[in-house]
Amino acid sequence: AGTQAQPRVVPRSLLVAEEMRSLIVEKGPGPVEDDPDALVKGWLQREVRGGVKTPWIRPRKYWFVLTPDSLDYYSSNEKGARRLGSLVLTSLCSVLWPDRRTYKETGYWSVTVFGRKHCYRLFTEHLNEAVHWVCAVQKVIDSKAPVQTPTQLLMRDVEVSLCGSPEVLEQIYRCNPILRYTSSPLYAPLLPFPYGTPGPRSYTTLRDEAVKLFNSLQQLESERDPVPLMQGVLQTCLDLPPLVDEIYCQLVKQTTEPPAPGGQGDLHYWQLLTCMSCTFLPSPPVLRFLRFHLDRTESRFPASEMAKYACFIREALGKTKGRECVPSLEEILVLMRRQEMICTVHCPGAPACSVAISSHTTAEEVAQELVSRLGLSQSPNLFALYEQSRRREQPVGSATLLADVLTRFENLAGEEREQDPPCRLCFKHYGFLDTDNVPRDSLEFALLFEQAHEMVLRGYVPTSEETLQTLAALRLQSLNSDFSTHAPFPRLEELFPPHVLHARLPAPRRRPPTKCRGARLRAGLLAGGLWGQALAKQRAERDQRLRGRLREEGASTMAAIVEKWKLLQGMGRPEAMAAYVALVREWPGFGSTLFDVDLRVSPVEAGPQRLWLGIGAKAVSLYKPGEPEPLDSFCYGRISSFGASDSGTFRLSVEDRDLLFETSQVQ
């Protein structure tokens, strides 16, 4: 890039004059001759696009020769035939194996070779011949030295020049526009990507996606609301991890010597770079180059907005370990202002807590903060955060980033098909080690009471219906004190387990399957006509009768609960809560964390497959759902080992036998 006064100090990167310099020199046409370096020769058919009169693609047969440097094809195999084309093979080329689908459609096995400028799709009738060509081409590609782009070479020269003269470093930036801001589009990625490698889902090749992302970055400069566009770029990087380094390099390029430092367009780049630093960690070479860029920005623009973003990014890079989800729209807005998010955590029996979190805050850190804030540090029991909805809940892993959980909430809230999305975070007991000595006037007892009530409603406390009605009356007494017709009355499903009422209804009668094929055909034809309308009317009438019966059962149950509530007059809220917990504690499984499992190998003869696995302070027990007594119980001294065999199987080794439990709650 220009003539230098002192050639001995000019790095090799200064010789890179063009921003998009060609990396490959194509072969020119030449006569065919006996090439001693030829690895494979043979006739293959290649797709060739026709002209104006025949615009369709038609295959034509050519003589192909594979050499250690290229894949060439000729009009014939005779001496003197001219070479019609050449595909130079480098480490960035790729080859696709023949697939059976193409063979079924065309009767030919296809071999596709992707190069920098060309793509050869070749066909042969024999599978072994296609495999031979694929293996040979792949062997040549693997033998090539890795291709380095001008950006990679310049990054290395910048790193080397850090220990030398600052003038040389600035000269590198001045003489190589590839390192600086550009308003023109990018026609090739800054980093090397294999040619023709398709991305997942609806993405094109990595090279094409890299160029598209640069166009998206340039749109940020004039975007009034850049948040959705930023989230789209982050989502692409999450779906295509190889593009993470590319986007970092593109952002460094666009924030280097921009036309308006600190302007709106420049700050949008810095804001996206901030979101990237809180979501993805670049590779070591790109990370070193990025850190140098941050230092250079702070030294050139001290006390500016760019310098503040650079300082924030440097600190974030020291904490980022990778994300499961991209930042939510709310998180992006917060990161653009370099602030923290406010996370609301609900505590049963206590007001909700607001906790300030960053993109790196884990669930365990928030749980420990709440334990300290709520005065639960002396409790022997364990606490955790839960993702909770009206119908289900699941604990949040201790190392899970809460920012990822909030993104999932945002995504599920936007899906109309989602019937029961997790809607909030809840702070609850996670492991019970001592439930007998919890002071009744403490916050922990209120948490214990609320958790016991949730277990009752979810059907995890097997007891009689009479006891369930008494528990519902105690719940009303704890909420509203003495009976009053003006007291707020919760819905029945908030007091009494709904599955008990549904169990009273008669099971729908199933029609016996029709074995005769003709009968099934006639039934199908009738179902589409008047007979089908009559059946639909009958089903609607039956469902209406069942709903009416359910309302009757609910009214009867509610009347019985109210009568029991009237008998509790004069009982205070603490006494009602204590009586409630005492009734639930009569079940020996209370105090255990329950998991729904399917036992692959039963520990007892003719044992059920669907079980509750209860993990308590003293033992691990197996319960048949709905039965109060355990099928079997193992104290921890009998357990030799435990762990996850795979993502859906939990293994428990008890003395001389292994128990395998299939469950979605292994983690």
Side-chain angles (χ1 to χ4, degrees), residues 488-601:
F489 216 85
R491 295 179 300 176
L492 180 60
E493 55 264 29
E494 297 176 6
L495 299 171
F496 192 83
H499 73 277
V500 177
L501 297 180
H502 288 277
R504 298 178 188 172
L505 303 180
R509 292 181 298 175
R510 294 184 178 180
R511 301 179 62 183
T514 306
K515 297 182 180 180
C516 176
R517 181 178 179 183
R520 289 199 303 268
L521 179 60
R522 289 193 298 273
L525 293 174
L526 289 173
L530 296 176
W531 183 252
Q533 297 178 5
L535 289 177
K537 184 177 180 181
Q538 291 179 6
R539 283 195 296 267
E541 292 175 351
R542 183 190 62 203
D543 293 341
Q544 186 175 0
R545 287 194 301 270
L546 290 176
R547 287 194 294 269
R549 177 73 181 278
L550 187 62
R551 285 194 296 269
E552 293 176 1
E553 295 292 340
S556 174
T557 301
M558 183 62 81
I561 293 173
V562 170
E563 290 301 321
K564 288 181 169 56
W565 181 20
K566 294 178 180 178
L567 299 177
L568 301 177
Q569 186 170 359
M571 180 181 288
R573 184 172 187 271
E575 290 79 9
M577 294 170 58
Y580 192 107
V581 174
L583 274 178
V584 176
R585 190 180 279 125
E586 291 179 358
W587 178 52
F590 179 73
S592 299
T593 304
L594 298 179
F595 299 91
D596 294 309
V597 298
D598 287 320
L599 184 61
R600 189 181 298 176
V601 180

Side-chain angles (χ1 to χ4, degrees), residues 157-179:
D157 287 338
V158 167
E159 186 175 356
V160 172
S161 301
L162 292 177
C163 301
S165 172
E167 291 77 11
V168 174
L169 186 62
E170 293 303 320
Q171 193 177 26
I172 294 177
Y173 278 91
R174 185 169 59 255
C175 298
N176 291 276
I178 195 173
L179 293 176

